[in-house]
Amino acid sequence: MSPLEALITSPPDRESVVYEIWHQNQQVAEISKEPGRKYEVEIYPCPDGGAWHLDLNEFKALLEDGVRRLASNP
């Protein structure tokens, strides 16, 4: 299992930046905070049709980091 990675991106179909979480070059999740909405997380299916196997503490830390980074990046 390789470590998770995260980055802030600015998709053209969004008003605000998003925080993407990646595992082995596959996007696992995306956290967003669009104007007038609460924070949302979108979880993507595993490309091979199986289940993601992620370190819970690492994933939780990235979710918390994503909220912090989006809050400071309006």
Side-chain angles (χ1 to χ4, degrees):
M1 181 170 23
S2 77
L4 293 167
E5 300 178 51
L7 58 121
I8 296 282
T9 64
S10 183
D13 63 334
R14 301 291 184 90
E15 288 185 43
S16 302
V17 295
V18 300
Y19 183 89
E20 297 178 353
I21 300 173
W22 292 77
H23 180 266
Q24 296 181 344
N25 297 321
Q26 299 293 329
Q27 190 171 0
V28 174
E30 174 182 288
I31 302 170
S32 62
K33 171 71 171 86
E34 291 295 311
R37 299 182 70 155
K38 295 181 180 186
Y39 288 96
E40 296 179 344
V41 62
E42 186 170 348
I43 308 287
Y44 297 107
C46 192
D48 66 8
W52 291 108
H53 295 277
L54 310 170
D55 179 277
L56 178 60
N57 290 326
E58 187 179 4
F59 188 65
K60 180 181 168 190
L62 285 175
L63 290 173
E64 292 168 350
D65 181 59
V67 171
R68 278 192 302 273
R69 291 185 61 190
L70 291 178
S72 67
N73 209 342

